[in-house]
Amino acid sequence: MFSYNLDHLKALESESIYILREVASLCERPVLLFSGGKDSIVASHLAKKAFFPAKIPFPFLHIDTGHNFPETIEFRDRWVKSMGVNLLIRSVQTSIDTGRVTEEKGLFASRNLLQTTTLLDAIKEFRFDAAIGGARRDEEKARAKERFFSHRDEFGQWDPKNQRPELWNLFNARKGPGQHFRIFPLSNWTELDIWKYIHQEKIEIPAIYYSHSRKVIERNGQFLALADFIPLAPNEIVEEKIVRFRTIGDMTCTGAIESPAASIEEIIAEIIAATTTERGTRHDDLRSESAMEDRKRQGYF
C-alpha cells in the first residue's frame, strides 16, 4: 500500500476544480476534449466533482483519427455513458474525404497531425469558446509554457510569447470574434500525481495501461502495436511481447514499453523508477526537436 501526501493531491484537485468552475462561469460554450486517455479521464472525473450533484454543464468532444486503439474506443463509450454527458465525435477520415487534409504516405505516416484541422473545424462548427484539455506542463517543454487559460487567435494558433498573465489565478477570458481558449486544469499535475490520484479515487482506466501480451514491431527503438494500417519495413519482425502503454494516442505514433506492471500500485512503482518521460514513447514528438511546439502553433491540443 502506498502512502501519499494527501494534502498535495487535495491541493491539486481543488485548483483544478476551481479552474473548471471558472470556465463554466466565464465562457459561454465550453467543451471538454476527451480522448479516453488517463489525463482526460481524470479531467472528466474532476468535472463531475466540480458540479455535483448537477450534471456537467458542457459536452465532451472526441477527435477520432480512425487509428485509435479498440480498447480506448470501447472504454470511451462506456465511460461517457456512465458520466451522463453528451459525446460529440468528429472524424479525421471525414476531413480526408472532404479534402480538408491530405493523408500522409509511407512507413512513418500518421494521422496525428491531421486531427488539428478536424479539431479546429469542430470548434468553428459548434462555436466553442473554450476547449478543456488534459495536458500537463511536465509532459513536454512546449506544454510547460502554457497558461491555464491559453488564448488562441482566429486561426486557432498559439503565440507562446504573447500570453496573458495569471497572477493570483485571475483569468482573462476576453476574446475577439473567432478566437477561443484552450483550458488546462491539470497543468500543475505530474504523471505520478495522475496515477496516485487514480489510485486514491479508484478511477477506472483502459486495460492497455496495464501489462498485457501484444503483437508488436520494433521501430526506432520503440514498440508499435501491430495494425492493418501500419506498414511493415522488410526487416521488421512481428513479435509477441508483454507490454503496456504509458500514454494513449493514435496507434501509428504511440509506442509501448515492456513492463510487468499489472496493477496501479505496480505502475506507480515503475514510474517512480523510470528514467524516461511518458512522451518518450511518442513517435510524433521525435519528428523534430520542436515538433510539439510547431503543432501547438498550428492549433494542436
Side-chain angles (χ1 to χ4, degrees):
M1 178 64 66
F2 283 90
S3 61
Y4 314 139
N5 184 339
L6 296 180
D7 290 340
H8 173 66
L9 289 182
K10 187 66 176 178
L12 289 172
E13 179 190 70
S14 297
E15 179 182 65
S16 298
I17 286 175
Y18 167 74
I19 292 167
L20 289 165
R21 289 173 176 167
E22 285 291 285
V23 173
S25 173
L26 297 172
C27 302
E28 295 181 2
R29 298 178 67 86
V31 67
L32 190 146
L33 303 177
F34 189 80
S35 67
K38 65 184 185 309
D39 299 308
S40 63
I41 292 168
V42 168
S44 64
H45 177 84
L46 289 165
K48 186 174 183 178
K49 275 196 165 188
F51 302 104
F52 186 82
K55 291 186 176 181
I56 297 173
F58 38 75
F60 289 10
L61 171 65
H62 181 219
I63 303 301
D64 186 357
T65 68
H67 292 168
N68 300 100
F69 290 91
E71 298 94 329
T72 307
I73 298 301
E74 184 277 329
F75 180 90
R76 177 201 69 186
D77 294 341
R78 184 159 42 84
W79 180 260
V80 167
K81 183 177 180 180
S82 72
M83 298 289 284
V85 297
N86 181 28
L87 174 66
L88 305 170
I89 302 172
R90 287 298 178 266
S91 169
V92 171
Q93 185 63 54
T94 300
S95 298
I96 295 170
D97 293 342
T98 57
R100 291 286 294 144
V101 296
T102 301
E103 185 152 27
E104 296 180 357
K105 304 295 182 183
L107 194 63
F108 298 97
S110 174
R111 290 184 174 183
N112 200 51
L113 179 59
L114 305 185
Q115 62 186 319
T116 295
T117 298
T118 311
L119 171 61
L120 292 176
D121 287 348
I123 289 173
K124 182 178 181 181
E125 175 187 355
F126 293 104
R127 296 182 289 111
F128 293 130
D129 58 355
I132 303 164
R136 311 184 320 270
R137 292 192 181 115
D138 78 315
E139 290 181 87
E140 206 272 344
K141 57 187 177 183
R143 286 183 168 172
K145 301 176 183 178
E146 290 275 18
R147 300 285 197 264
F148 288 119
F149 275 53
S150 183
H151 179 262
R152 297 297 199 271
D153 66 19
E154 58 270 29
F155 302 105
Q157 297 176 332
W158 171 64
D159 182 0
K161 296 182 179 179
N162 190 29
Q163 298 189 82
R164 299 172 179 181
E166 293 179 342
L167 301 176
W168 305 292
N169 279 0
L170 297 175
F171 304 119
N172 179 356
R174 287 178 291 183
K175 63 178 185 61
Q179 299 175 357
H180 70 279
F181 288 89
R182 303 292 172 86
I183 313 295
F184 301 110
L186 303 182
S187 287
N188 287 336
W189 296 59
T190 66
E191 182 188 15
L192 188 57
D193 293 329
I194 291 291
W195 281 108
K196 287 182 175 181
Y197 189 73
I198 288 171
H199 183 257
Q200 174 185 289
E201 297 288 301
K202 298 179 173 60
I203 301 173
E204 185 183 3
I205 56 171
I208 60 175
Y209 279 115
Y210 299 111
S211 176
H212 61 283
S213 178
R214 199 177 201 102
K215 291 182 178 180
V216 298
I217 57 173
E218 185 173 0
R219 180 174 294 171
N220 287 348
Q222 297 181 344
F223 296 112
L224 291 181
L226 187 67
D228 293 339
F229 45 79
I230 299 179
L232 300 183
N235 62 332
E236 289 179 332
I237 301 172
V238 177
E239 303 176 89
E240 188 94 16
K241 288 188 175 292
I242 303 299
V243 300
R244 74 175 192 87
F245 293 86
R246 287 178 70 181
T247 178
I248 295 179
D250 190 287
M251 289 182 70
T252 59
C253 60
T254 304
I257 60 170
E258 290 190 271
S259 169
S263 68
I264 293 180
E265 290 90 345
E266 291 174 342
I267 290 173
I268 291 173
E270 186 177 84
I271 293 171
I272 291 173
T275 57
T276 59
T277 68
E278 61 188 306
R279 296 292 303 192
T281 61
R282 295 293 293 265
H283 270 269
D284 49 331
D285 287 355
L286 302 178
R287 292 192 172 194
S288 73
E289 189 173 336
S290 60
M292 172 65 80
E293 184 155 335
D294 292 341
R295 295 201 304 277
K296 290 179 71 63
R297 286 179 182 272
Q298 296 165 11
Y300 186 72
F301 301 138

